Amino acid sequence: MRNLWTLYQKEMMEALRSYKLIWVPAVFIILGILQPLTTYYMPEILKASGNVPPGLLEGYEMPDAAAVMAQALGQYGTIGMLILVLGVMNSLAGERSSGTAELLLVKPVAPAAIVSAKWAAQLTVLIIALGLGAAGAAYYTVELMGPLSWSDVLAAAGLYGLWLLCAVSLALLFSSCLRGAAAAFLALLISAAMSLAHSLFPAQLSWMPAALPGLSAKLLTEGSKAGPGPVLSAGVLIILCIASASLLIRRNSFPNG
């Protein structure tokens, strides 16, 4: 446990030194507040463009606060996920290529501790970034659109964060056996494939982690609670990624030179 805490502190210091703890939350905050601002000022934006068909502005209806908040969280499913995956893709691959992983493994440090510390550090960055981004989005949504249930916002952000954590865990897994770019590509590809499969067969695949973004939006707009299936499958996927990465990191290293 002491080794795990020491490695976690090392990862957090690296995240601070590389400014990841600054620029990742900053991007999430910008993504979050853009949605309510853009939605609220859309009539003025269209009017300023000068190419608006007659009657379009008169028929524009302002979405309610819950719908805008759901759309704000939805922004993290593309750009937000990409940023998180790019931030983790070299987490293990970089240490394997530089030989740092081999130096750690000759010490009395379990591979599971190395992987778990890196995963925990990425989780910390995700919580900070998503927490600040969702808080900023909720604040401007309340100010411009109307009241929100803060408990629903917290629960919806948690569900969406669990989906993002699945993508981060996949990137960490592939980073243990592939180079960084390949790890990021495969993590994004599998996440996109799960989303596509769920969109094509929503009833049959309602238990998949890819159902979490939709459940997050329904929680805000309809007040419907999430079933245990997607949460449990996401938890299983994350545990499998951590366990598999722990096994692979000892077996895979880049050749010197």
Side-chain angles (χ1 to χ4, degrees):
M1 184 62 69
R2 181 179 300 176
N3 286 337
L4 177 60
W5 176 246
T6 301
L7 291 170
Y8 172 75
Q9 289 179 310
K10 168 184 171 293
E11 294 298 324
M12 293 308 300
M13 285 299 298
E14 179 61 29
L16 188 61
R17 192 178 298 114
S18 63
Y19 302 104
K20 186 185 296 184
L21 278 176
I22 298 175
W23 67 265
V24 174
V27 172
F28 269 62
I29 292 172
I30 294 172
L31 288 175
I33 66 177
L34 273 180
Q35 187 63 42
L37 290 175
T38 303
T39 303
Y40 184 78
Y41 290 107
M42 183 57 68
E44 283 75 12
I45 295 173
L46 293 175
K47 190 182 299 181
S49 67
N51 297 318
V52 182
L56 178 62
L57 294 179
E58 288 76 6
Y60 180 81
E61 293 185 6
M62 191 71 66
D64 61 20
V68 173
M69 187 64 205
Q71 293 168 2
L73 289 177
Q75 299 296 316
Y76 300 129
T78 51
I79 301 177
M81 180 182 289
L82 175 63
I83 290 172
L84 290 171
V85 168
L86 291 179
V88 73
M89 68 179 186
N90 283 315
S91 186
L92 289 171
E95 294 201 351
R96 289 189 302 110
S97 63
S98 65
T100 305
E102 285 78 1
L103 291 176
L104 286 173
L105 289 172
V106 298
K107 300 179 180 180
V109 179
I114 299 174
V115 175
S116 298
K118 290 184 176 296
W119 181 85
Q122 298 300 326
L123 174 61
T124 303
V125 174
L126 170 58
I127 291 175
I128 294 173
L130 184 59
L132 292 176
Y139 172 80
Y140 278 97
T141 300
V142 169
E143 290 294 318
L144 299 176
M145 307 295 178
L148 284 170
S149 169
W150 287 96
S151 60
D152 286 350
V153 170
L154 182 61
L159 289 174
Y160 216 103
L162 187 58
W163 168 238
L164 295 176
L165 187 59
C166 289
V168 168
S169 301
L170 285 169
L172 187 65
L173 167 61
F174 294 125
S175 179
S176 66
C177 57
L178 300 172
R179 297 187 183 273
F185 175 76
L186 278 179
L188 293 172
L189 180 63
I190 292 178
S191 299
M194 286 194 292
S195 295
L196 177 61
H198 177 261
S199 65
L200 293 176
F201 308 101
Q204 295 85 347
L205 300 178
S206 60
W207 53 269
M208 289 185 66
L212 289 168
L215 293 175
S216 173
K218 285 185 178 179
L219 177 60
L220 286 168
T221 57
E222 303 174 9
S224 58
K225 304 301 180 182
V231 176
L232 290 176
S233 64
V236 170
L237 175 61
I238 291 169
I239 292 173
L240 287 176
C241 287
I242 296 174
S244 300
S246 301
L247 293 174
L248 289 170
I249 187 177
R250 183 179 290 276
R251 300 178 183 178
N252 294 279
S253 61
F254 294 134
N256 294 326

